[in-house]
Amino acid sequence: MAPNNLLRGLHMLMFRILRVRLLLGIVLVLALFQVLSALQALLTATAVVVVLVALRTAIQKMLAPRFSAVCQVRAEERTLLAFAGSRRMITIGDPATGDAVTTLAGHRGWVSALCEVESGRRSLLASGGKDRTVRLWDPGTGEQVSVLTGARAAVSSVCQVRVDGGALLAAGAEDGSLHLWEPGSGEQVRVLSPGAGEVLAVCAVRSEGRDLLASSHVDRSVRLWEPGTGEQIRELSGHEGWPTALCQMESADGTLLASAGTDETIRVWNPDTGEQLHVMEDDFGWLHALCQVEVGERKLLASGGDGPGVKLWDPATGERTGTVGGAPFLLGPYGCGWVRALCQIQVDDEVRIATGGYDKRVETWRLTERSL
């Protein structure tokens, strides 16, 4: 819990103080009180800002997870796994062999989010990062197809949402804005400003026969939007901490929305009514990742965070069904790092869970009867 908590707190603090007003304020105070000459004051203020920027960068590198995003992507009838994090690089690997297929370079900052998006008849990989851009890649060739700009702050999350028979790419940013692009043309279709603080996660969710865009924010809310018009449909309240992860899932009750966060709970919602159906308590640290996993006829919810292992839950009952991976707590989850990203991956006709986090590897985990 501590590294992620400290990192986010320091980042928000530095974001507020590292502005031009800090430099001008120091110059003004020192010059007015004749402590230093105007030139000396300018040089001193510049040095202070440089030191603070260097300190922020060093802390971010030290505390950032090695891998903060994983996703399944299709390329030429192959199922591949994309993963990225604080190294600015995106790696596309073969989950069956563990070999790297290609490496994508272009981002100038930490890559915080990945998702697959449809553009015409082909599948592209979308990536969002701290450099305030969303980039589209051809996962088969490694070619950078386009760079989507318009965000004025770091991009925290990305997802595909369907509108009028097509697909848009949605992204949430740390300044609280939501952006929608047409992936084929790269045109920014719409920008939403909920005024709810930093966007922590986004995902598409089916509600009453249409796709809505779900977003979670630091004001502890989860909000549902009509992507075609930008209208807010409803606000879901209940979390007592930041809802850092969102996931659509299918159950016997229909399509549901799950959210998880720093209050150590997973909450299941009916997107049609906004009703909170279940609250599942992990009690082992902050939660950062969710995904649905299909095991035969069963559809389960997987969660990952600061505790050891990936927990499996039955969304219909709210009961925990098992744990995948994990080691004794003294050794840490998986023997080292905490989980920050999850996805389902198909490997040789077998469903697995892919994980990434603070350790130095991305793993795929088999779902066995013991784990369920």
Side-chain angles (χ1 to χ4, degrees), residues 211-347:
D211 267 10
L212 299 181
L213 175 64
S215 63
S216 62
H217 304 261
V218 294
D219 70 348
R220 305 179 181 181
S221 70
V222 176
R223 297 165 187 254
L224 301 181
W225 308 86
E226 167 55 64
T229 63
E231 175 190 1
Q232 179 173 308
I233 303 301
R234 59 182 53 90
E235 178 179 338
L236 312 180
S237 300
H239 276 287
E240 297 177 0
W242 295 337
T244 53
L246 296 172
C247 173
Q248 173 183 277
M249 56 189 179
E250 302 297 331
S251 76
D253 298 324
T255 301
L256 304 176
L257 175 67
S259 59
T262 61
D263 57 0
E264 303 181 4
T265 68
I266 302 166
R267 297 170 188 263
V268 179
W269 313 84
N270 182 335
D272 296 339
T273 64
E275 178 188 1
Q276 181 174 276
L277 303 178
H278 300 293
V279 179
M280 299 172 279
E281 298 184 0
D282 190 293
D283 292 334
F284 219 118
W286 290 9
L287 297 172
H288 300 280
L290 290 173
C291 78
Q292 179 165 296
V293 181
E294 298 182 14
V295 186
E297 299 296 323
R298 304 183 68 182
K299 296 181 179 180
L300 304 176
L301 182 65
S303 66
D306 292 343
V310 173
K311 309 298 191 307
L312 298 175
W313 310 83
D314 186 336
T317 64
E319 296 180 356
R320 178 177 156 185
T321 64
T323 302
V324 177
F329 180 63
L330 292 178
L331 299 177
Y334 313 125
C336 44
W338 293 327
V339 176
R340 289 297 176 271
L342 286 174
C343 77
Q344 175 179 294
I345 185 77
Q346 194 82 15
V347 182

Side-chain angles (χ1 to χ4, degrees), residues 15-284:
F15 182 80
R16 285 171 171 76
I17 66 175
L18 291 178
R19 300 172 183 241
V20 175
R21 70 180 68 173
L22 174 64
L23 176 60
L24 296 179
I26 294 174
V27 171
L28 182 61
V29 170
L30 294 179
L32 285 177
F33 287 92
Q34 298 182 346
V35 176
L36 298 172
S37 67
L39 178 60
Q40 289 175 321
L42 179 61
L43 293 175
T44 301
T46 301
V48 169
V49 172
V50 169
V51 169
L52 289 175
V53 171
L55 177 62
R56 182 183 70 168
T57 302
I59 291 174
Q60 285 181 323
K61 288 183 177 179
M62 179 177 64
L63 298 179
R66 178 68 176 272
F67 297 109
S68 53
V70 296
C71 86
Q72 176 178 286
V73 64
R74 293 162 294 168
E76 300 174 354
E77 299 183 354
R78 299 174 65 190
T79 298
L80 302 175
L81 181 65
F83 49 94
S86 56
R87 297 294 180 88
R88 304 183 181 184
M89 309 290 286
I90 303 167
T91 302
I92 297 180
D94 186 335
T97 64
D99 297 332
V101 175
T102 186
T103 301
L104 313 178
H107 278 286
R108 298 180 180 179
W110 174 3
V111 179
S112 51
L114 296 171
C115 80
E116 187 176 34
V117 62
E118 295 177 9
S119 178
R121 296 184 177 180
R122 62 175 177 170
S123 293
L124 301 177
L125 176 67
S127 61
K130 299 292 185 181
D131 58 1
R132 305 180 183 182
T133 68
V134 173
R135 296 169 188 258
L136 296 179
W137 312 83
D138 185 321
T141 64
E143 174 193 2
Q144 181 173 281
V145 177
S146 60
V147 180
L148 309 181
T149 59
R152 297 183 178 181
V155 175
S156 59
S157 49
V158 292
C159 76
Q160 174 182 276
V161 59
R162 295 190 178 279
V163 179
D164 297 330
L168 296 179
L169 179 61
E174 290 184 356
D175 64 354
S177 60
L178 292 161
H179 301 259
L180 291 161
W181 289 276
E182 202 288 316
S185 64
E187 176 188 0
Q188 183 166 262
V189 176
R190 187 166 288 104
V191 180
L192 309 178
S193 300
E198 178 181 346
V199 181
L200 301 172
V202 294
C203 84
V205 60
R206 196 74 177 165
S207 175
E208 298 180 332
R210 57 180 175 171
D211 267 10
L212 299 181
L213 175 64
S215 63
S216 62
H217 304 261
V218 294
D219 70 348
R220 305 179 181 181
S221 70
V222 176
R223 297 165 187 254
L224 301 181
W225 308 86
E226 167 55 64
T229 63
E231 175 190 1
Q232 179 173 308
I233 303 301
R234 59 182 53 90
E235 178 179 338
L236 312 180
S237 300
H239 276 287
E240 297 177 0
W242 295 337
T244 53
L246 296 172
C247 173
Q248 173 183 277
M249 56 189 179
E250 302 297 331
S251 76
D253 298 324
T255 301
L256 304 176
L257 175 67
S259 59
T262 61
D263 57 0
E264 303 181 4
T265 68
I266 302 166
R267 297 170 188 263
V268 179
W269 313 84
N270 182 335
D272 296 339
T273 64
E275 178 188 1
Q276 181 174 276
L277 303 178
H278 300 293
V279 179
M280 299 172 279
E281 298 184 0
D282 190 293
D283 292 334
F284 219 118

